[in-house]
Amino acid sequence: MEKIRLVCSWICRIILASTFAYASYVKILHPDLFFMDIRNYQLLPDELSQISAYLLPAFELCLSITILIPRYSKTSATIMATLLFIFILAILSAWFRGLDISCGCFGNSDVTGNYISTILRDILLIVLAIIILLFEKRKSDTLHL
């Protein structure tokens, strides 16, 4: 049973790492487009939107790496789940205010105004992070098949 829990945890870690790495890669390539996506939410002043456009992708890339390191996986999963929750709140805010925007998650490949599928995707990613938190008993667990 312990091996199944560990394998499930590793699968979740790989999915989260891949998702965050891809999202950060796309945003790092085009920070100006990501800045516009953040700005379109109308939640932050332009200066903070611009800073976020450069720092958030780098932070996401760091998380995608650290979640694969057993010692840091629980902390990374917690931070990822928190970020995803904040993203959901921002998307809901835009939706309720009638804004028709791209979420900015994966660069300009996002579909504009597709709020439900974006929220459901983020909820699924939060569930994966929770699985990691529940399935990993110790920070020093490693995969031994």
Side-chain angles (χ1 to χ4, degrees), residues 8-17 20 59-87 122-139:
C8 287
S9 176
W10 269 101
I11 290 169
C12 293
R13 288 161 67 177
I14 290 168
I15 292 169
L16 281 169
F20 270 67
F59 186 58
E60 289 175 338
L61 183 59
C62 290
L63 288 172
S64 70
I65 294 166
T66 57
I67 199 161
L68 296 174
I69 302 170
R71 180 180 194 146
Y72 303 113
S73 62
K74 290 178 97 172
T75 302
S76 298
T78 302
I79 295 169
M80 285 178 165
T82 303
L83 278 177
L84 289 162
F85 181 72
I86 292 168
F87 297 159
D122 286 354
I123 290 171
L124 174 64
L125 294 172
I126 289 172
V127 168
L128 295 178
I130 291 169
I131 289 170
I132 292 167
L133 295 172
L134 294 176
F135 279 18
E136 292 197 17
K137 292 182 179 179
R138 300 178 308 262
K139 291 182 180 183

Side-chain angles (χ1 to χ4, degrees), residues 88-108:
I88 289 171
L89 292 178
I91 292 163
L92 286 171
S93 170
W95 189 10
F96 292 149
R97 290 181 291 137
L99 301 176
D100 189 28
I101 61 173
S102 163
C103 80
C105 308
F106 298 102
N108 54 1

